[in-house]
């Protein structure tokens, strides 16, 4: 009796602890990409302009313009991209829905063949396919997962992607311009704050990936710092050439 209770407790603990993170919600990729892009692009833009020796007022305008333009551009691009992807998926689902309605036996045989190809006995595969095909919506969901690799009930939202992208880009782009808004007149406070933001953002991303926090943070710090350094040099050259 004690052994049974122990096994039941272990099973219950495993069930409670065995959870997965949301990898298909449609918010993570645009949020991460937006924050990284906001930090890197606005830092690079501002260092490029600073390389040509401009005033504090010009730096503030440059940073705010880069923030606004980038945030709206990212939001519009993400909305269009995700909406187009969703429309394509819905069109394919309509095709599958028509096939299920017009040729149910063929679709059932196709599903049985898929299970059989994965090692299920032929008789059992046919029984499972027959039972699952009784509900049209369930059949559609299973065919979509097996043939298209998608979950019809968990499609990404264009609005969520756009809002996530807009907010994260604006937040990231605010880091390099914040010191100027607070009265700084030199470039180095903006660079330091932006580099800190790059490292912190990379470290946070590591929480939803398999990478260690310090590796992810240093990688993003190196990439963003390199972009800022290159654009500063280019800004200095262009400033000298044009000025």
């Amino acid at each position: 009796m004690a052994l049974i209770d122990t096994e039941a407790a272990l099973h219950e603990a495993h069930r409670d602890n065995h959870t997965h993170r949301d990898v298909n919600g449609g918010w993570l990729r645009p949020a991460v990409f937006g924050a990284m892009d906001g930090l890197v692009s606005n830092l690079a833009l501002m260092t490029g302009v600073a390389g040509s020796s401009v005033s504090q007022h010009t730096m503030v305008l440059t940073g705010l313009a880069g923030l606004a333009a980038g945030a709206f551009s990212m939001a519009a691009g993400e909305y269009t991209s995700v909406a187009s992807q969703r429309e394509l998926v819905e069109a394919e689902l309509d095709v599958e829905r028509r096939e299920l309605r017009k040729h149910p036996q063929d679709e059932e045989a196709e599903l049985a063949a898929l299970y059989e190809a994965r090692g299920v006995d032929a008789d059992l595969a046919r029984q499972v396919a027959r039972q699952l095909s009784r509900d049209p919506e369930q059949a559609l969901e299973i065919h979509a997962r097996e043939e298209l690799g998608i979950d019809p009930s968990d499609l990404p939202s264009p609005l969520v992607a756009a809002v996530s992208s807009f907010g994260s880009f604006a937040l990231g782009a605010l880091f390099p311009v914040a010191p100027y808004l607070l009265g700084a007149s030199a470039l180095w406070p903006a660079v330091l704050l932006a580099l800190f933001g790059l490292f912190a953002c990379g470290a946070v991303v590591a929480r939803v990936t398999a990478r260690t926090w310090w590796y992810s943070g240093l990688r993003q710090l190196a990439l963003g710092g390199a972009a800022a350094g290159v654009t500063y040099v280019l800004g200095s050259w262009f400033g000298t050439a044009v000025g």
Side-chain angles (χ1 to χ4, degrees), residues 107-194:
E107 292 297 308
E108 181 180 318
E110 183 179 334
L111 187 60
L114 285 173
Y115 289 135
E116 188 175 350
R118 294 186 177 184
V120 180
D121 292 340
D123 291 339
L124 180 59
R126 286 193 293 270
Q127 292 177 21
V128 172
R130 186 181 310 113
Q131 191 168 14
L132 293 177
S133 298
R134 292 174 181 173
D135 183 355
E137 289 303 316
Q138 179 177 254
L140 175 64
E141 183 174 336
I142 293 172
H143 277 275
R145 287 177 174 175
E146 296 292 340
E147 298 176 28
L148 303 176
I150 59 174
D151 184 354
S153 63
D154 192 26
L155 298 180
S157 167
L159 184 59
V160 170
V163 172
S164 299
S165 182
F166 181 93
S168 58
F169 185 99
L171 180 62
L174 184 62
F175 272 70
V177 74
Y180 284 99
L181 292 174
L182 296 175
S185 57
L187 178 63
W188 65 265
V191 172
L192 287 180
L193 184 59

Side-chain angles (χ1 to χ4, degrees), residues 43-58:
L43 175 61
L45 173 64
M46 294 181 67
T47 53
V49 172
S52 60
S53 301
V54 298
S55 66
Q56 176 189 5
H57 180 70
T58 301

